[in-house]
Amino acid sequence: MDEVLVACKQCGNLLDVAYDWDRLAVPDSLDTFEQRWSRRNDPQCFSGVWRFHDLLPFAPRRQCVTVGEGQTLLHRSDNVARFAGLNPGRLHLQYEGMNPSGSFKDNGMSAAFTHARLVGAKRAACASTGNTSASLALYCSVTQLMKAVIFVGSGKIAYGKLSQALDFGALTVQIAGDFDDAMARVKEVSSRLGIYLVNSVNPFRLEGQKTIMFRVLEGLAWQVPDWIVVPGGNLGNSSAFGKAFLELKQLGLIDRVPRLAVINAEGAATLYDLVERRGLRWNGGQPDKSIVEKYYREMDQQKRRASTIASAIEINRPVNLNKCLRALEVCNGVVRPVSDQQIMDAKAQVGAGGLGCEPASAASVAGTKLLVAEGIIDPDESVVCILTGHQLKDPTATVAYHTADQDKFDEVLAVRGVHQATFANRAISVSNDLDEIIKAIELHS
Ligand code: F0G
């Protein structure tokens, strides 16, 4: 706890937070957590992360850092259910875009900042496809506990996210390369300069992200759904979700775990390729390393680099791969890839419901539709899709989908293999003339 480590000193693998539950006072029923909400004038109870402190008790309660994260919504959506082929009432969307920085990352950031404060860190760094960096920058500027240094791939992050980091005052380092290049560099730089690393190789991040599942259960009156569907990038979320259910089950707070579906973008489908096509498994904690090494060797030889409109999950080498394998094992999971076309259509359907999301998030809805079509999810099963980031994170993708300007559409979407915008809501162009404007409104409304 008083060291800054992102890998095991002996084997170099990821570290995991393990609790000695026998020495901790854990509530014997989940609705204890609901009662905390009635004390929400206390920031520790207001936080949707620290309200569940008993389930991530790695730091004293009063040391926990919060900026008011985790006030998120579980929303029943029958329209999106219909789109995905599910029966009414069977689909819920978990809106993590409602977090202070507009993505689920704030759940983990509050936990990483808590540990960083315990060890007295003064600077924190991350590599990012944009949301981790926005979250880090926000926590630094709100708490003033540390200075933010962020590494991003040049041209690889959506404008909403970049604008946050700049506005919040983070030192922003644009690397000529992609996320994986930035990730490799930030690890080197952090260890050389003694900067606290907040990427999800940091095990405390994942502790915070477990609480997304606690809030989903709370939103369902503590009923366990049949499926959790989540986009997969660096695989921090999926890993954290698996750990959350494993621990709840061990503690006797739930009697069954949901199934987990991790959805890759087709252009960034490392997990899918490894698990579903090459048979990589958790294997009691000893995944076959040679399968992974061979895959990455081929990737390098063929100069294959991740490419998707869902820039948040445009990742070649997911750092939490091993932990995600554990989650897939615990939750009898499946992995599927979806195309950018499927992602953009699903995103438009989510947006039409009024609480929109960014492209990567919509992979969860596109993946659900695919799994229903494959007969793996039954139309009557209950499904929760995690909408990881806010609609305004990536306005370029949204405007391009809805535009009537073919050049703009082609520039952003056709290059990604998106050729149709079935659910587009196109603006109408009209001359600056009252009669023409009225005629157009009458015609279209
Ligand atoms: N959705 C969004 C909106 C994200 O920003 C990310 C990851 C993911 C899904 C994938 O989650 O890594 O837990 O599998 N964004 C990281 C970042 C990589 O740098 O912001 P994951």
Side-chain angles (χ1 to χ4, degrees):
M1 281 303 299
D2 50 12
E3 272 188 281
V4 183
L5 294 172
V6 288
C8 169
K9 282 181 186 163
Q10 269 116 52
C11 71
N13 259 320
L14 296 172
L15 291 165
D16 203 27
V17 178
Y19 301 101
D20 188 354
W21 295 113
D22 291 340
R23 291 171 49 207
L24 293 159
V26 183
D28 50 17
S29 116
L30 283 167
D31 47 39
T32 307
F33 299 106
E34 266 173 58
Q35 292 153 20
R36 303 249 165 89
W37 183 235
S38 65
R39 290 194 277 127
R40 59 190 171 276
N41 55 343
D42 173 354
Q44 300 295 324
C45 292
F46 181 80
S47 167
V49 171
W50 299 116
R51 205 145 48 81
F52 298 97
H53 178 267
D54 317 62
L55 299 172
L56 54 152
F58 64 83
R61 201 181 287 272
R62 292 290 137 196
Q63 295 278 345
C64 296
V65 175
T66 176
V67 304
E69 59 288 318
Q71 304 311 318
T72 58
L73 181 70
L74 184 77
H75 175 72
R76 170 179 160 166
S77 176
D78 286 355
N79 285 338
V80 178
R82 190 177 320 113
F83 168 72
L86 291 167
N87 290 336
R90 305 316 278 158
L91 181 77
H92 285 81
L93 302 172
Q94 172 70 11
Y95 280 97
E96 288 300 312
M98 296 170 83
N99 272 295
S101 79
S103 87
F104 73 92
K105 303 286 180 182
D106 298 346
N107 294 286
M109 205 54 71
S110 63
F113 264 63
T114 298
H115 181 247
R117 176 151 81 179
L118 290 178
V119 297
K122 295 284 174 279
R123 285 186 294 187
C126 70
S128 184
T129 55
N131 280 327
T132 305
S133 49
S135 180
L136 169 60
L138 181 143
Y139 273 76
C140 281
S141 52
V142 175
T143 66
Q144 298 286 308
L145 284 171
M146 296 190 282
K147 292 251 181 303
V149 183
I150 67 164
F151 286 62
V152 295
S154 195
K156 291 287 183 185
I157 86 172
Y159 262 29
K161 307 174 189 184
L162 181 60
S163 57
Q164 288 179 291
L166 297 173
D167 232 16
F168 298 145
L171 174 61
T172 304
V173 184
Q174 289 185 311
I175 311 265
D178 60 14
F179 171 81
D180 295 76
D181 299 318
M183 187 71 224
R185 289 298 180 203
V186 80
K187 279 187 181 165
E188 291 166 353
V189 171
S190 303
S191 83
R192 181 93 60 98
L193 299 181
I195 303 180
Y196 189 88
L197 188 60
V198 300
N199 277 102
S200 56
V201 286
N202 179 325
F204 299 102
R205 274 272 310 278
L206 302 197
E207 291 306 294
Q209 284 169 216
K210 291 191 310 194
T211 64
I212 301 171
M213 290 302 102
F214 304 152
R215 296 196 301 275
V216 162
L217 292 182
E218 187 179 41
L220 294 172
W222 308 112
Q223 298 298 307
V224 178
D226 295 314
W227 287 90
I228 299 288
V229 188
V230 63
N234 235 350
L235 308 178
N237 258 345
S238 43
S239 300
F241 297 174
K243 188 171 191 281
F245 288 116
L246 181 65
E247 290 173 349
L248 288 177
K249 185 89 196 308
Q250 282 168 346
L251 289 167
L253 289 167
I254 53 173
D255 52 14
R256 67 179 183 102
V257 297
R259 293 191 70 184
L260 181 68
V262 185
I263 311 299
N264 278 159
E266 258 173 21
T270 298
L271 183 71
Y272 170 73
D273 288 342
L274 288 173
V275 171
E276 303 285 357
R277 301 177 65 164
R278 302 200 179 186
L280 183 67
R281 291 290 179 277
W282 171 239
N283 192 27
Q286 304 289 328
D288 186 345
K289 268 197 246 160
S290 67
I291 299 180
V292 183
E293 283 161 6
K294 181 162 181 280
Y295 182 83
Y296 288 154
R297 230 182 4 256
E298 288 170 12
M299 188 182 242
D300 289 343
Q301 276 161 2
Q302 296 161 9
K303 296 196 170 37
R304 253 191 306 123
R305 302 302 284 181
S307 173
T308 167
I309 189 74
S311 56
I313 51 175
E314 193 175 51
I315 292 173
N316 302 286
R317 290 168 156 75
V319 299
N320 285 295
L321 176 63
N322 281 357
K323 288 184 180 176
C324 179
L325 295 175
R326 177 177 63 182
L328 291 169
E329 174 85 13
V330 169
C331 298
N332 186 17
V334 296
V335 187
R336 287 292 180 275
V338 288
S339 67
D340 285 5
Q341 177 76 60
Q342 290 167 314
I343 287 174
M344 290 308 292
D345 287 338
K347 183 178 117 49
Q349 287 286 299
V350 173
L355 294 161
C357 67
E358 65 168 284
S361 313
S364 61
V365 171
T368 301
K369 185 174 165 64
L370 181 71
L371 287 164
V372 173
E374 285 182 10
I376 292 177
I377 298 182
D378 186 88
D380 216 31
E381 285 187 301
S382 60
V383 178
V384 177
C385 290
I386 312 304
L387 298 184
T388 46
H390 198 280
Q391 177 189 38
L392 296 178
K393 291 283 191 174
D394 189 354
T396 312
T398 308
V399 173
Y401 187 87
H402 292 291
T403 189
D405 176 343
Q406 190 66 38
D407 290 342
K408 194 161 269 168
F409 182 90
D410 290 348
E411 187 192 323
V412 180
L413 295 174
V415 291
R416 304 277 187 188
V418 179
H419 295 296
Q420 281 170 330
T422 311
F423 307 109
N425 173 29
R426 301 213 164 83
I428 43 169
S429 294
V430 17
S431 57
N432 187 8
D433 174 288
L434 187 59
D435 288 339
E436 289 294 320
I437 293 169
I438 287 173
K439 216 188 320 170
I441 291 172
E442 293 291 356
L443 185 67
H444 292 282
S445 64

